[in-house]
Amino acid sequence: MTWSRQKGGVTAVALVAVGLAVGLFGQTVYNDSHNEQMYVTAGYLVAQGKRLYQDFAFVQMPYVPLLYAPFFRLTGGYFLLTAKLINYAWTGLTALLLYMAGRRWTRDSLFSLTLVVVFLSNYYITRATMEASNYTLPMALSLLGGLLMAGAYRRGAIQSGRLLLAGVALGGAIGGKLYYASLVVPCGLLTLLYPRQAAGWTRLRWGALPLAVGLAVGLGPVWYYLLRDPDRFLFNNLGYHTTNTLWRVQSGFLEDASLWGKLSIARDVLANSNVLPLVLWLALAGWLLLDRWPEMPRGDGRERLTLPVAVAGLMALTATVTAFTPSPLFPQYFAMPVPFLLLTLAALQGQLLPSQQGILRRLALVVAAISVLIILPRHTGALHNALDPEKAWSGVAAHDIAYAIRGHLVQAGHLDGEASPKVATLSPVYAIEARLDIYPELATGSFVYRIGDLLSPAERERYLATSLSTLHQLLDSDPPAAILITEEGELETPLLEYAQSRGYEPAAQFSVGQLFIR
C-alpha cells in the first residue's frame, strides 16, 4: 500500500470512528434505564454526606457512586446527565487504550483505528455505554491493567512498578464490579510463569508480590467498607444477589440457568452478527501465528514476542467465561470480553509477518464494515438526539420533570417550611434532581424493595429495606408529600393503592408516570 493510500485509508477510518463516537454519544444521552435510578441516587446521597451501605442500600461495589459524588457536588444538578457523561468517558478511554495498544504492538495506524471502529460499533458496548451504571468503569480499568501487565517484562527483566500499577487498575475494576475479580486469576498466573528463565522466588518477589500489593491498594475503599460493617457490605454485594435470583425464580423472570441453558445462550451469542465475524477474525489470526511459530526466535525472544498474546488471550478467555456466570444474563454483560478480544487481535497482529499482516488488515476492514452496517440504523437515529439536548436528552428531561414536581409541591404548600418534602417513588432520580427528599428504603429503586418480602423483619430493618407488603407501614410512619408512579408495573401496585386509600390527589401526568400529592 502506498503512503498516500495508507494516509487516505487512515483518514477515512478515523472519520468513521468519530461518526460512531457521536452516534454512541447520542445513544447515551437519549436512552434511560431503571438501573440508573440506583446508581445516580447513590452518588447523590454520598455527595450529601450519607454513608454508603449504612444510611442506604446499594447492591453493588462502591466505586461508581464514590466517583459520581464529587462530580455531583461540582455540577449541583443534572445528576443523571452527569453520570451518563462520566459513563461515556470511560468508554472513550477504553477506545483510546485500544488504539494505543494497537499502535504500540503493530505500528499500524489503519489497523489500530479499525480496532476502535469495531469496538465502538459493537452492540454490547453500546448497551453498556448508554446506561449510567457500573459497566464501563471496570471495562476501562481492567484493560489498562492488562496493558500494564503486558509491558511489565522487558529483556528478561521484571518491571515491578508496572505490575504494581496493574494491580491498582485491577483493584479499581473490581471496586466497580465484583465479577472483574476473575481477571486476577490469569494475571496472577502470568506473574508466576514469566519470565521463564527467572527463578521461582524472583518471579514471586518481583512479580506476584507487586501485583498483589497494587491490588490491595486499588481495593482500599473496599477494605474500608468491608471492615467497617462486614454484614451490610456482604449483604449488598453477595447476599442480595442470591436472594434476587430466588425472587426471579419465584416470579418467573429467570431463564434456564442450567449448564445446558447457558450453552444455548452461548450458541446464540456466537451466532450473533456482532460476534461471529470477530471470532472468525481471531481464529484466522491464531492460525497464522501457529503457521509462523517455527520461524520465530526461540528462548527469550519468543517469550518476549508472545507475552502480549498470552496476557490478552488469557484475559479474554477469562472475561468470556465470566460474562456467562450471572443469572439472568443481559446483553451488557457481554461487553466485558470485547476489549480483550480486540486486544488479543492487536497482540496477534504484532507477531505476524508483513504478508500475514496484510491479510488480517483486509479482514479487519471487512469486519469493521459489517459492524458499522449493523449498528448504523441505530446510530443514525441517535445523531439527531446528540444535537438536541432540550428534547432528546434523558438527563435533561429527568431534571425538568423533577423541577415540575417541585413546582406542584410549591403550589400545594409543601415547601413553605425549611424541611424538604419527601417523595415516595421507585424512580428516585425524579426527586433528587430537584433536591427533594426520598426514603432511604427506596434509594435502590425497585431492587431491594422487590425482594423485601423474602427478608425477615430484622433483616429489613438491618439492611434499610421495605417490601410490597410492608410499604404502607413505612409511609404511614412518615407520610410523603407526593407519590410518583412510574413504569415499574406490578411492583408499584402497593404504592398506587396507598395513594388512593390515603386521599392523595392526581396532580400531573408526565411522560414517565403520574404524580399524586397530599
Side-chain angles (χ1 to χ4, degrees):
M1 182 181 291
T2 64
W3 182 85
S4 59
R5 290 180 60 190
Q6 171 85 1
K7 184 179 179 181
V10 168
T11 301
V13 176
L15 289 173
V16 171
V18 171
L20 289 169
V22 174
L24 184 58
F25 178 82
Q27 295 269 21
T28 300
V29 295
Y30 174 73
N31 288 283
D32 58 7
S33 166
H34 81 122
N35 293 348
E36 296 171 329
Q37 299 293 329
M38 178 179 74
Y39 292 94
V40 177
T41 300
Y44 171 81
L45 292 174
V46 172
Q48 297 299 307
K50 302 298 183 182
R51 298 170 301 172
L52 197 61
Y53 305 126
Q54 287 191 310
D55 293 332
F56 62 96
F58 178 71
V59 294
Q60 292 289 338
M61 295 291 272
Y63 285 8
V64 168
L66 292 179
L67 172 67
Y68 285 169
F71 286 95
F72 287 178
R73 293 190 194 102
L74 183 65
T75 61
Y78 291 96
F79 305 120
L80 176 58
L81 177 60
T82 301
K84 282 181 167 292
L85 295 179
I86 294 171
N87 206 54
Y88 180 82
W90 284 114
T91 297
L93 175 59
T94 307
L96 177 62
L97 290 172
L98 279 173
Y99 175 77
M100 292 171 63
R103 281 287 295 137
R104 181 175 182 83
W105 292 344
T106 70
R107 310 294 182 188
D108 186 338
S109 297
L110 179 61
F111 183 86
S112 303
L113 284 169
T114 305
L115 292 176
V116 173
V117 167
V118 175
F119 172 75
L120 293 175
S121 58
N122 185 274
Y123 169 71
Y124 300 123
I125 297 301
T126 300
R127 285 295 301 266
T129 303
M130 67 189 194
E131 179 182 302
S133 56
N134 65 340
Y135 295 107
T136 60
L137 178 151
M139 179 174 68
L141 291 181
S142 62
L143 182 63
L144 175 60
L147 290 174
L148 289 167
M149 278 284 303
Y153 300 89
R154 294 184 177 179
R155 297 180 177 88
I158 304 174
Q159 307 290 319
S160 297
R162 286 177 176 264
L163 289 173
L164 180 74
L165 293 175
V168 173
L170 288 173
I174 297 167
K177 198 163 187 66
L178 183 57
Y179 63 50
Y180 273 78
S182 64
L183 295 178
V184 174
V185 175
C187 292
L189 180 64
L190 287 167
T191 62
L192 297 175
L193 295 177
Y194 283 91
R196 295 182 63 184
Q197 75 276 13
W201 169 248
T202 300
R203 297 177 204 158
L204 184 64
R205 180 181 179 183
W206 301 109
L209 184 59
L211 181 71
V213 171
L215 187 64
V217 171
L219 288 170
V222 173
W223 303 127
Y224 168 75
Y225 287 110
L226 175 61
L227 296 175
R228 185 181 68 175
D229 195 335
D231 180 44
R232 283 196 177 109
F233 179 86
L234 292 174
F235 169 77
N236 278 273
N237 287 283
L238 295 174
Y240 164 80
H241 299 282
T242 302
T243 309
N244 187 51
T245 299
L246 177 61
W247 174 81
R248 286 185 177 278
V249 171
Q250 294 180 351
S251 305
F253 293 137
L254 183 62
E255 79 283 356
D256 184 2
S258 67
L259 176 61
W260 291 112
K262 298 281 188 180
L263 290 175
S264 176
I265 295 172
R267 177 200 62 208
D268 295 339
V269 170
L270 181 62
N272 185 290
S273 55
N274 243 229
V275 175
L276 185 57
L278 193 58
V279 172
L280 295 176
W281 182 7
L282 268 169
L284 177 59
W287 181 80
L288 289 174
L289 180 64
L290 290 176
D291 185 58
R292 194 206 166 193
W293 189 260
E295 304 172 15
M296 296 183 71
R298 296 185 180 276
D300 293 347
R302 179 179 289 182
E303 180 177 297
R304 177 176 55 81
L305 290 172
T306 57
L307 179 62
V309 178
V311 172
L314 284 175
M315 294 184 80
L317 178 62
T318 305
T320 301
V321 173
T322 302
F324 282 95
T325 54
S327 293
L329 293 170
F330 294 103
Q332 53 268 39
Y333 293 172
F334 300 113
M336 182 182 181
V338 172
F340 294 109
L341 293 171
L342 293 169
L343 190 67
T344 305
L345 284 165
L348 288 167
Q349 179 80 353
Q351 313 309 319
L352 300 178
L353 298 171
S355 59
Q356 295 173 319
Q357 289 178 337
I359 295 172
L360 281 189
R361 187 185 298 110
R362 288 188 288 272
L363 179 59
L365 291 170
V366 171
V367 173
I370 293 172
S371 300
V372 170
L373 289 174
I374 292 170
I375 205 70
L376 191 60
R378 182 185 293 267
H379 277 356
T380 300
L383 288 173
H384 180 265
N385 300 332
L387 302 174
D388 195 354
E390 291 299 324
K391 293 183 179 180
W393 291 17
S394 59
V396 174
H399 181 82
D400 292 345
I401 290 171
Y403 272 91
I405 292 172
R406 187 180 183 90
H408 284 288
L409 288 171
V410 170
Q411 292 177 4
H414 287 292
L415 277 165
D416 290 340
E418 293 183 3
S420 178
K422 275 188 176 177
V423 178
T425 179
L426 298 186
S427 300
V429 164
Y430 299 109
I432 64 169
E433 282 280 2
R435 298 183 178 275
L436 299 171
D437 283 351
I438 61 170
Y439 292 85
E441 294 84 355
L442 298 176
T444 64
S446 63
F447 288 111
V448 176
Y449 165 75
R450 70 192 184 193
I451 68 153
D453 284 322
L454 297 177
L455 304 175
S456 68
E459 287 174 325
R460 284 196 294 270
E461 182 178 1
R462 171 70 176 153
Y463 303 133
L464 299 170
T466 186
S467 70
L468 279 76
S469 65
T470 62
L471 179 64
H472 67 283
Q473 298 173 8
L474 171 69
L475 301 185
D476 280 339
S477 67
D478 184 11
I483 295 174
L484 179 64
I485 306 295
T486 53
E487 299 170 342
E488 292 290 348
E490 294 181 0
L491 293 176
E492 290 181 307
T493 299
L495 202 55
L496 179 60
E497 291 176 347
Y498 184 89
Q500 294 170 338
S501 65
R502 301 302 195 275
Y504 286 76
E505 296 291 336
Q509 181 70 46
F510 301 108
S511 59
V512 297
Q514 189 171 18
L515 178 69
F516 294 84
I517 290 184
R518 174 163 50 89

